[in-house]
Amino acid sequence: MDRRKFLAAGCATVVPPASLAQDWPNRPIKFVVPFPPGGAADTVARELASRLQVSLGVACLVDNRPGASGTIGVDAVVNSPADGYTLLSHVSSIVIQPHLAAARHNVLAELAPITQTVAGSYVLVAHPTFPASDLQSFVAVVKRSPGRYSYASFGSGSGPHLAMELLKGHAGLFIVHVPFRGAGPALQELLTGRLDMAFETTFAALPHIRAGRLKPIALGGLYPSDALPGVQTIATSISGFDTDGWQGMFAPRATPAPVVSRLAEHLTRALRDREFTQRNSDLGFRTIGSSPANFATFVRSEYEKWGQVIRERGIRPD
């Protein structure tokens, strides 16, 4: 066994679980976010941390651990004591990356799902000069000129890449994939018009849509977005099409069930606050707040769904 895992496992069992759960929390709680500050995952985690700090009466701190497609952050949590004081705030890529590379951790076995916090539809956007403004005309334009158009993503196997590959498969489209290492460079190429289209998170696309720098074509999730009124979902034309991105909270697998339950209780209470829900809606998110059991079922289903897409489309890492 890896020495760090051995030490972490030893630390997690020094205190009997029942005693640990009874005393919890009595010191600061750390939210590990495996992405840089300022992004969607960081924004939601910081809001939740500030609310839990009031609810639980202990400091709740955000610790950004970017790098290696989120693996560094996952490492930090999996190798921490399972005592409810180190949590992981991650996004849907946590169930995608294991299908693309030899994963250091089995997320289904080494993490305890606490709650799904928010979901946000990917939105299919195009440069304003693109000659289509809705899904039907988009498909028609692309089909007339196979291979003429290109789309950006922030890496092979990223959510936007998989969303477009799913659409291409359903609609029979040939669009050239141009992957970038990071969301910023991909978005910049689209804004300049050097690339034609992309799936973007609603969070990232909204400012540019509102400024007229991007044109929304359709939403990739099952539900309309209050932030993008009038933009249709792809599911209205392709039954069951669903490429929601989501965020959720996890703990090390051996965290006592009573602690996980209390965390879920306090997190869902914070998520259901009317002000927080409205703020999420303004950013393009739907607030969820699921139970640990329901979130665990959802995580497994997402893991299986995207694994099938990756195999069927022959997707390989960069």
Side-chain angles (χ1 to χ4, degrees):
M1 179 185 288
D2 182 275
R3 183 172 181 272
R4 292 177 302 168
K5 291 184 181 179
F6 177 80
L7 292 174
C11 291
T13 56
V14 169
V15 181
S19 174
L20 186 152
Q22 184 177 1
D23 294 339
W24 183 94
N26 56 26
R27 55 188 173 85
I29 296 172
K30 181 167 61 178
F31 285 39
V32 175
V33 177
F35 306 103
D42 180 72
T43 298
V44 173
R46 288 183 186 277
E47 182 67 25
L48 284 173
S50 68
R51 289 172 181 268
L52 249 65
Q53 185 162 296
V54 174
S55 175
L56 292 172
V58 296
C60 294
L61 313 171
V62 172
D63 180 11
N64 296 93
R65 300 282 190 97
S69 300
T71 301
I72 290 172
V74 175
D75 280 348
V77 175
V78 167
N79 294 323
S80 294
D83 54 11
Y85 293 100
T86 304
L87 311 178
L88 176 68
S89 179
H90 213 312
V91 301
S92 45
S93 63
I94 194 171
V95 297
I96 294 172
Q97 288 303 320
H99 297 290
L100 294 168
R104 290 206 287 262
H105 299 289
N106 182 336
V107 298
L108 299 180
E110 297 185 74
L111 290 170
I114 301 171
T115 187
Q116 183 184 358
T117 54
V118 299
S121 179
Y122 289 114
V123 56
L124 175 60
V125 292
H127 189 266
T129 58
F130 185 77
S133 298
D134 58 46
L135 183 62
Q136 289 72 27
S137 57
F138 172 89
V139 170
V141 166
V142 173
K143 280 193 168 182
R144 280 199 298 268
S145 304
R148 172 180 174 181
Y149 298 105
S150 55
Y151 76 95
S153 84
F154 44 84
S156 294
S158 62
H161 177 210
L162 296 184
M164 187 66 86
E165 289 301 310
L166 198 61
L167 177 60
K168 286 166 62 177
H170 278 294
L173 305 178
F174 176 24
I175 312 171
V176 178
H177 178 214
V178 183
F180 291 84
R181 293 195 177 276
L187 182 58
Q188 187 58 38
E189 289 298 290
L190 179 58
L191 290 170
T192 61
R194 284 190 284 269
L195 295 176
D196 304 294
M197 64 196 68
F199 272 97
E200 287 285 346
T201 64
T202 304
F203 178 86
L206 268 175
H208 303 291
I209 291 172
R210 288 168 175 164
R213 293 188 292 265
L214 290 177
K215 180 184 345 187
I217 303 295
L219 290 161
L222 292 175
Y223 307 100
S225 171
D226 291 340
L228 290 170
V231 179
Q232 70 181 122
T233 65
I234 294 174
T236 60
S237 298
I238 301 173
S239 179
F241 191 96
D242 181 13
T243 60
D244 261 355
W246 51 265
Q247 299 181 32
M249 298 294 299
F250 300 83
R253 169 58 69 180
T255 303
V259 172
V260 171
S261 294
R262 286 192 64 195
L263 279 164
E265 175 189 344
H266 284 269
L267 284 165
T268 54
R269 187 183 306 158
L271 285 163
R272 289 168 184 163
D273 176 80
R274 184 176 300 177
E275 179 187 356
F276 189 29
T277 299
Q278 185 58 54
R279 185 175 302 175
N280 285 335
S281 180
D282 293 342
L283 295 173
F285 297 127
R286 298 190 321 278
T287 303
I288 308 296
S290 53
S291 69
N294 286 344
F295 186 36
T297 299
F298 175 77
V299 168
R300 182 170 291 278
S301 69
E302 286 284 285
Y303 179 88
E304 292 170 354
K305 177 180 83 173
W306 290 119
Q308 182 177 348
V309 171
I310 288 166
R311 290 190 298 273
E312 288 179 351
R313 301 294 297 174
I315 294 169
R316 297 287 182 267
D318 293 328

